[in-house]
Amino acid sequence: MAPVPSFPIKVGHIDDVQELRKSKPTQIPQRFVRDMSERPKLAAMVPSPNDIPIIDLSKLVGSDIDEQGRQIVQLKTACEEWGFFQVVNHGIDSSVVENIEKVAKDFFMLPLEEKQKYPMAPGTVQGYGQAFVFSENQKLDWCNMFALGVEPPCIRNPKLWPSKPAHFGEALQDYSREIGQLCKNLLRHMAVILGLKGDVFEEMFGQAVQAVRMNYYPACSRPDLVLGLSPHSDGSAITVLQQGKGSSVGLQILKDGKWVPVQPIPNALVINIGDTIEVLTNGRYKSVEHRAVTHKEKDRLSIVTFYAPSYEVELGPMAELVDEKNPCRYRRYNHGDYSKHYVTNKLQGKRTLEFAKIEPETST
């Protein structure tokens, strides 16, 4: 993960939301209560057919040409119009998926003093706690996080890899290896759809960076007042989200100015486009703002993998995707500099992408 900030950070007291839920189940501290404009309108979250594209990876690589064509069209639509899609039949063994979910849940169920042996220092994004908190008056998310850099090994902080539960590290490495291969495969298909050679992203990224963040959202007595995770786009190239088995609807994406709930599909993985791919494709594929909401009665677990280029890589729109009709929208920059910019700012929609824009949009 990116370097830590060089400036001092005072975040004040941060309540552990799992402990709050145990000791004061009806109390919502003021730091978690969102301003009126930010509060989720849960009445609008009526279950509906899942409009978000679903890609069957087995058919995308299968021998049925017609079916393959349909999946290609679906993936193109997903990348250009949604920035989000779900992947089924992704080829990752169910035991690998189940193991990571088990050790993640077991970690969050540990006593607080055990989890606090792996603290997330203010301004950093590895360890247990809350990320992206930079001031004492900042609103907090109703979420506990545990985040680790995984690949390449040089970004790992061994002191933050827990000894409990047993086999945590083994499960995480097995899972990350499989997810990394899935990311390479998806990027290959995305490149071909753009008319580029399949390995263009893999060659460009160098030794890709992978980080995993596990999110635990306890039930909240007033889900209408809080957010599980603030609205943001991801700084990665692509992100892979695994929703815990039996999870309630928690993930929402911003589509045409409205928050659309992502209905969990059994054995599916949710994929979203990150800021890096938006820049490389000169805006053809767009990263999308998303957030998490909480549930009044159910806890929710999610496991998120961020896949990105090496920090040493220089990035900018690919020449093949820039012409008179599509002028260059983003400057070239060092990916490590962008990563540092991303993790040293609080989550505010897509504001961090202004770092790369040639003509940044002004926000009110």
Side-chain angles (χ1 to χ4, degrees):
M1 291 187 180
V4 299
S6 56
F7 51 88
I9 297 172
K10 296 182 179 180
V11 298
H13 175 70
I14 297 179
D15 285 301
D16 184 285
V17 287
Q18 284 176 262
E19 298 303 306
L20 269 178
R21 178 67 181 171
K22 290 178 190 174
S23 60
K24 301 173 182 177
T26 61
Q27 181 176 323
I28 311 296
Q30 197 59 36
R31 278 194 81 183
F32 291 92
V33 176
R34 295 285 171 155
D35 297 335
M36 288 295 294
S37 62
E38 295 182 306
R39 294 178 187 177
K41 295 179 175 61
L42 299 178
M45 282 187 60
V46 179
S48 59
N50 200 328
D51 295 324
I52 296 170
I54 300 170
I55 309 299
D56 187 327
L57 198 58
S58 67
K59 293 179 180 177
L60 188 61
V61 299
S63 57
D64 186 326
I65 301 302
D66 291 339
E67 189 58 55
Q68 189 180 59
R70 282 190 284 271
Q71 294 299 317
I72 288 171
V73 170
Q74 186 85 325
L75 181 58
K76 184 175 186 291
T77 300
C79 293
E80 293 183 351
E81 299 180 16
W82 285 89
F84 265 81
F85 54 95
Q86 299 204 55
V87 172
V88 296
N89 295 323
H90 42 67
I92 299 177
D93 192 274
S94 59
S95 65
V96 173
V97 172
E98 290 165 4
N99 285 344
I100 193 66
E101 185 173 327
K102 182 181 186 306
V103 296
K105 189 171 184 178
D106 287 350
F107 176 83
F108 284 112
M109 293 302 108
L110 291 171
L112 179 61
E113 57 269 23
E114 182 67 28
K115 292 182 286 189
Q116 287 180 332
K117 292 178 180 177
Y118 313 100
M120 184 183 293
T124 67
V125 287
Q126 291 203 56
Y128 176 77
Q130 282 219 17
F132 306 102
V133 182
F134 297 97
S135 71
E136 296 179 84
N137 58 6
Q138 185 177 331
K139 293 297 183 182
L140 299 174
D141 294 329
W142 193 265
C143 177
N144 286 336
M145 299 177 175
F146 186 48
L148 294 169
V150 182
E151 296 295 341
C154 63
I155 70 167
R156 299 179 189 180
N157 183 340
K159 293 180 181 179
L160 297 177
W161 284 58
S163 57
K164 299 177 183 177
H167 309 299
F168 180 98
E170 181 183 341
L172 178 56
Q173 291 185 90
D174 289 346
Y175 181 75
S176 295
R177 182 171 56 252
E178 296 288 336
I179 293 293
Q181 190 56 55
L182 173 65
C183 290
K184 289 178 182 179
N185 291 341
L186 289 171
L187 286 167
R188 195 172 296 119
H189 290 297
M190 289 159 60
V192 170
I193 292 170
L194 286 165
L196 306 170
K197 63 177 185 176
D199 58 358
V200 63
F201 292 124
E202 190 170 350
E203 288 184 355
M204 187 186 304
F205 285 11
Q207 192 170 22
V209 172
Q210 266 182 254
V212 171
R213 191 180 72 221
M214 301 168 181
N215 304 312
Y216 197 87
Y217 306 96
C220 179
S221 61
R222 292 296 306 272
D224 57 315
L225 299 181
V226 306
L227 284 175
L229 191 59
S230 301
H232 65 286
S233 61
D234 292 338
S236 57
I238 57 176
T239 301
V240 181
L241 168 73
Q242 177 181 330
Q243 308 203 65
K245 198 171 185 178
S247 283
S248 59
V249 177
L251 175 64
Q252 296 182 334
I253 68 173
L254 190 62
K255 172 70 170 168
D256 301 327
K258 296 180 181 179
W259 288 105
V260 178
V262 179
Q263 305 287 341
I265 297 174
N267 306 314
L269 294 169
V270 181
I271 314 295
N272 67 274
I273 304 294
D275 293 346
T276 298
I277 288 294
E278 175 167 335
V279 170
L280 291 173
T281 63
N282 199 34
R284 179 87 66 89
Y285 294 169
K286 288 184 172 61
S287 61
V288 173
E289 222 174 302
H290 52 287
R291 68 182 186 183
V293 297
T294 61
H295 194 277
K296 193 169 186 176
E297 299 167 350
K298 291 183 177 181
D299 294 4
R300 177 172 175 263
L301 171 72
S302 68
I303 300 159
V304 189
T305 300
F306 303 98
Y307 187 89
S310 164
Y311 293 137
E312 286 73 40
V313 171
E314 296 287 323
L315 297 176
M318 292 183 283
E320 298 92 333
L321 302 177
V322 176
D323 55 35
E324 288 184 7
K325 291 183 179 180
N326 301 286
C328 191
R329 299 177 184 179
Y330 309 92
R331 65 180 180 86
R332 290 192 67 78
Y333 59 86
N334 171 268
H335 181 63
D337 290 342
Y338 178 68
S339 296
K340 185 173 182 179
H341 170 76
Y342 188 93
V343 302
T344 55
N345 284 274
K346 67 179 184 178
L347 300 179
Q348 289 181 288
K350 292 189 65 170
R351 189 169 294 181
T352 48
L353 190 54
E354 292 179 3
F355 171 95
K357 289 183 179 177
I358 290 175
E359 295 180 359
E361 295 175 7
T362 55
S363 301
T364 56

